[in-house]
Amino acid sequence: MKKWVSAAIVAVAMSTTATANAQDYKLITVAGYLNFYLLNLNACQDFHPSVRQSAYDAEKTLYPYLDKLYGKMGGAEGANQKMIADIVMKRRAMLNGQIAEGDFTVDHCQAIVKILTEDGLDKTLLSALE
């Protein structure tokens, strides 16, 4: 009986860890997703003055999601902050490469703004914040 109870306790502990890890993974994915848009909008504001105001307006739509994400991930002391910072730095490096190659166009910026202001973000992905 002791073995069965011990096995049950281990199984419950492992499933709880798996659930926590799955939720962490979802939140990290959402963080990468939202930061992709934020980085692109910031670059649009800096490099394409013709879309600067619309990029500022679109950026405002991200903040409620980013605030929820920040809270869910434990704020500045959250366990996954280093991983998210690494993701953001890699995305920033890729964006810098795109800018250096001249591939960061006004059309790109307009598409990003349109997604945020008209089409909307992926609700399934963002459901991890609820």
Side-chain angles (χ1 to χ4, degrees):
M1 183 70 163
K2 285 183 182 180
K3 288 182 183 180
W4 186 82
V5 172
S6 296
I9 291 171
V10 169
V12 168
M14 291 181 76
S15 68
T16 303
T17 301
T19 302
N21 289 339
Q23 183 63 18
D24 285 351
Y25 178 77
K26 288 177 185 177
L27 292 174
I28 290 167
T29 302
V30 171
Y33 178 69
L34 294 174
N35 277 291
F36 165 82
Y37 286 106
L38 187 60
L39 287 169
N40 277 271
L41 288 170
N42 291 160
C44 291
Q45 294 159 6
D46 293 342
F47 292 98
H48 297 297
S50 64
V51 295
R52 183 173 289 143
Q53 188 57 52
S54 59
Y56 281 128
D57 294 340
E59 183 179 342
K60 292 174 191 172
T61 66
L62 291 175
Y63 290 121
Y65 299 113
L66 290 166
D67 288 343
K68 281 184 183 180
L69 178 67
Y70 187 73
K72 288 247 181 208
M73 297 202 69
E77 302 302 318
N80 295 309
Q81 292 301 333
K82 168 104 172 74
M83 187 181 304
I84 292 169
D86 290 345
I87 291 168
V88 171
M89 294 305 293
K90 287 176 186 171
R91 291 246 168 121
R92 183 67 192 174
M94 291 185 326
L95 182 59
N96 286 341
Q98 187 179 4
I99 292 166
E101 293 170 7
D103 291 336
F104 190 75
T105 65
V106 171
D107 290 340
H108 175 88
C109 290
Q110 289 169 338
I112 294 289
V113 168
K114 182 181 180 294
I115 289 169
L116 290 168
T117 60
E118 295 176 28
D119 301 339
L121 294 170
D122 185 324
K123 299 294 182 206
T124 303
L125 192 59
L126 294 174
S127 69
L129 298 176
E130 300 307 321

